[in-house]
Amino acid sequence: MSDPITLNVGGKLYTTSLATLTSFPDSMLGAMFSGKMPTKRDSQGNCFIDRDGKVFRYILNFLRTSHLDLPEDFQEMGLLRREADFYQVQPLIEALQEKEVELSKAEKNAMLNITLNQRVQTVHFTVREAPQIYSLSSSSMEVFNANIFSTSCLFLKLLGSRLFYCSNGNLSSIASHLQDPNHLTLDWVANVEGLPEEEYTKQNLKRLWVVPANKQINSFQVFVEEVLKIALSDGFCIDSSHPHAVDFMNNKIIRLIRYR
């Protein structure tokens, strides 16, 4: 047994053995730790590699076992593939290619279910009528909620990349709000007549936009139309057996399916 070696990969420390690091001699790691390539050291004397530290755990485990083990909800396949290319662990690169083919096949058949809710509430705000003169005003505001579930993680990512929240005067992709790979909850408001722009920020009222159409979504009808465009372009079709036609026409429940 060789002495333990501690690596600093992007600020994250890993401890392993020389035998593990050289288990694939033709890889970059094999060359680094067999003396064929120079290595850098951090202030503690650990070997330093300026790469992503989080996904290195999967690369290190592959060096130990020659088997690719990923969690079911793993969402960084692209990053892991780039890291595997950097380290040039060819069997890992091949295993990732096989995994991506497997995921692609699993993604072909999918279901998309959207439940919509809407309510009207009163918003109170101040209006500046003149310097140092303000008046209290109120207006009705439409509040929308959409609960979206899909068996296709890739479709939710696609949908998230097309929808944007408008908050604090800036657009932010819904994709950054994805916490569950199969579920997305959206809450937004329509434009409120007479409401000053700064009040949206002050009261944390988010509006919803769709790109590349650059269209603000002020009603469920527009939301349904835009989501259907995205879903149909990705191979989905309306499930005629569910939900009830009345619910679908009233924009309460939308269910789409995809067979490939």
Side-chain angles (χ1 to χ4, degrees), residues 65-157:
T65 66
S66 297
H67 190 271
L68 178 61
D69 293 303
L70 299 175
E72 291 185 3
D73 60 348
F74 186 68
Q75 296 296 305
E76 298 184 293
M77 188 67 74
L79 175 59
L80 180 56
R81 184 173 61 250
R82 287 190 294 274
E83 295 301 292
D85 285 337
F86 172 79
Y87 292 110
Q88 283 300 295
V89 183
Q90 192 59 39
L92 174 58
I93 294 172
E94 294 170 0
L96 284 169
Q97 291 172 344
E98 293 176 3
K99 185 68 174 179
E100 288 181 320
V101 170
E102 176 187 326
L103 290 174
S104 177
K105 290 179 179 178
E107 283 277 349
K108 288 183 178 181
N109 297 332
M111 183 269 287
L112 171 65
N113 194 83
I114 305 175
T115 304
L116 305 170
N117 292 289
Q118 177 181 3
R119 70 181 190 277
V120 176
Q121 71 180 53
T122 301
V123 58
H124 302 281
F125 54 94
T126 56
V127 178
R128 184 181 181 186
E129 298 181 346
Q132 299 183 347
I133 299 177
Y134 295 85
S135 63
L136 182 62
S137 183
S138 62
S139 183
S140 295
M141 175 177 66
E142 289 186 285
V143 181
F144 304 103
N145 168 267
N147 283 295
I148 305 171
F149 172 80
S150 178
T151 56
S152 171
C153 302
L154 294 179
F155 175 75
L156 272 195
K157 283 186 176 180

Side-chain angles (χ1 to χ4, degrees), residues 8-23:
N8 179 343
V9 184
K12 193 171 181 63
L13 299 181
Y14 291 91
T15 300
T16 184
S17 67
L18 181 63
T20 294
L21 293 171
T22 57
S23 56

